[in-house]
Amino acid sequence: MSLKLRAMRRWLPKRMDTLTLPSARDEAWRWSDMATLEAAREIKRVAGHVGSTARIGDGPRLVFIDGYYDPDFSEPGDLTLERVEFTSTHPLGQFAAGQGYELRFPPASFTAPIEIEHVVVGEESHLPLRFVLDDDAVVSVVETYSGGGWSNRLSEFSLGKGARLMRAVRLLQDEGFVSIRDEASIGEAASYVATFLGAGGMGSRIDGFLRLDGVGAFAEMGGALLTRGEQKQEAAVAVHHAAIEGTSRQVWRAVAADASTASLAARAEVARHAQKTDGEQSLRGLLLKRTATINLKPELEIFADDVKCAHGATVGELDAKALFYMQSRGIPEPQAKALLTHAFVADALDRIGEESVRDAFKADADAWLEAAL
Amino acid sequence: MATKNAEALAAANKKYEWGFSSDIEQEFAPKGLSEDTVRFISAKKNEPEWMLEWRLKAYRHWLTMTAPDWAKLDVPPIDYQDAYYYAEPKAKPKLGSLDEVDPEILRVYEKLGIPIEEQKVLAGVEGSRRVAVDAVFDSVSVATTFRAELEAAGVIFRSISEAIREYPDMVRKWLGKVVPMHDNYFAALNCAVFSDGTFVYIPEGVRCPMELSTYFRINAENTGQFERTLIVADKGSYVSYLEGCTAPMRDENQLHAAVVELVALDDAEIKYSTVQNWYPGDENGKGGIYNFVTKRALCQGKNSKVSWTQVETGSAITWKYPSCVLAGENSVGEFYSVAVTNNRQQADTGTKMIHLGKNSRSTIISKGISAGRSDNTYRGLVRVGPTAENVRNFTQCDSLLLGDQCGAHTVPYIEVRNPSAQIEHEATTSKISEDQLFYAMQRGLDQEAAVALIVNGFAKEVLQQLPMEFAVEAQKLLGISLEGSVG
């Protein structure tokens, strides 16, 4: 069914005025860059940008410009966008509350990778989206953020029994700020995998709360944050195990150059009855300059006794021995550094299942590395 | 496994062995907290004017602060006006030797289970191992042994109130330098109302001839214990300091807000060991000590080293983060901790390693054991400043859960601003495996002994850092603390 929806979503400026941004005094926001977010709201609107990112496949394409669905640039194919109301108590999510869209995927359906583009041409834009996957539905989504300004997104995911969602999200805005709030409820034997790549010039906060509600559910949220200049990017993700035999993986990599800051906070929560949980966190940071900062917080909150939870966190520079070895084999230093950094980032991006998507993300990461190194 | 573990988990609700209260006459400050209370304490201690001013400044600052709420603790509101801030045992005015100590107090020591060697020392047995004990009974240090011998070595080992009078310059130089009065809510409170504590100064090049030891104990009902410890290790010196705590059984919650400051200059080393078994409250969470402690070490000199070792088994609520500021080049910070929580206890403990000096290194080994309906949190920070080259940190936090009603949490913060740093963090959470328990039991151990053995094995890396006397006591304590949680 083709879509001819006009931009119908309107937030209420009056209510927005009463909302306040979280402050660094709040423990969960101590590494957040709210100053950049404030500045991003002031970025003047400019024309252009639209449709500038290259297509990855030939599946459906949904384009949102400044938080409004744009039917002219979109190719929704069989997708139906329904208008629904959203509420949120999350400090940034509440800015996006109000009217948004829901995408529903019927049982046992299979959808070619959906490309969603969030184009922002300045100031602030807010958009809530909901993805409902019925039992055994298989969906792949690629989201791209481009432009400049404050993009604030609230995404809700509901996965039925045996459903599978593969999400790849890249933050490629030239400037401004991207804030993403994801909330997922994962059903029995369902699988939710989200991989993020922050390789633009903007500041960011990727904030997620994944709830494993069904027995044997699987959740993965991870990715790579690449920062340079004075940029600050942050991921703060919590995975909540509410049912038995759940598995979660949080694999994050951060590369910080110049005077930038990359922060990763990952939390695994295991409820009292969620026995046989298998949780793993791997947070690694790579500092390219002595003026850069990496913050890590791998957090565990465990109330059940028959669980396997482990986390590992490391920060450092490139391994001098590996560099030396590569140079001894005739690879010049800059290239050796690039190769090792590339491999470091690839750890996180390799989690993307779809080959064409993975290649596109790696190309974006490579472009960043080339510029930064 | 749940049933097996539950099997492994019932038994003995043994009463708190050290839950007794001795009748010693006390002199109290008027109830409540005001500038007058601060003045009363200062006057009672014959303190110089600057000290009073310092306390008042801290008190005024404290009034502007709010209690921290970021820890994973459920702290009931504390009425600071409903407590006595000063209680002095009415004993003899001056004590020359231990014989002069109130026999009631000596009996308390005996019940405390002070290690045999130290009991001998207290009893004056010839040829016993030499450990100097400065006992803080409630708020005032009543006996200091081996003072003369320490003085021959140049070591100053005094109660802090004596030191303020006798060595004002030295105390003034360092007091509040590591933990400033505005550092946090409880530190500010301590600065205002601290009643006693210990001051240690080890002169240049001296290796302290004996281990220094202090026992803290909260005795009187409704008295908060606010002791203050300041240890300064001058260039090239070494000292090992042991601190042990027990408190008698009281139904009302008692507040303990201590501040410990350590300073290590060039090539100096301080080893600070704590066994803490304040009254944890009963199985329903009634009573128990609230332990809000600020402990911090400044490794100021080159090649200086501070090692914190703690075995935390007591207190209803523990809020404690012994930290190291590694400012000196090649300085070393270590933190070894075993924290056991049972019944309704809550512990939020860990460390901070602030790396500022080149080539500074730190090691953090934390073992959390939760049982009953308790919550045990490790909270740590490793920070590397931009000028700290070649920093190395290794952190390991392991949690052991006994039963399915308790919680184990890990909140490590890592903030790195120098690429040459190598920071590693590892953590695991597990329970006592059925196989281990079965193996130990088929070799003839009963369930409780088997669990104690396994738990001691789990905590071995930390226990072996303790001085001998403490290691024995700590091992016993681990077993006792977990009684009733496994069976």
Side-chain angles (χ1 to χ4, degrees), chain A residues 33-53:
Chain A
D33 185 15
M34 290 298 118
T36 303
L37 188 153
E38 290 275 21
R41 297 172 104 167
E42 308 299 325
I43 294 174
K44 290 279 167 271
R45 289 177 183 275
V46 284
H49 292 302
V50 180
S52 54
T53 33

Side-chain angles (χ1 to χ4, degrees), chain B residues 73-90:
Chain B
L73 298 171
D74 181 16
V75 185
I78 298 169
D79 184 357
Y80 290 93
Q81 298 305 333
D82 190 33
Y84 293 99
Y85 287 86
Y86 183 77
E88 182 178 29
K90 258 192 191 165

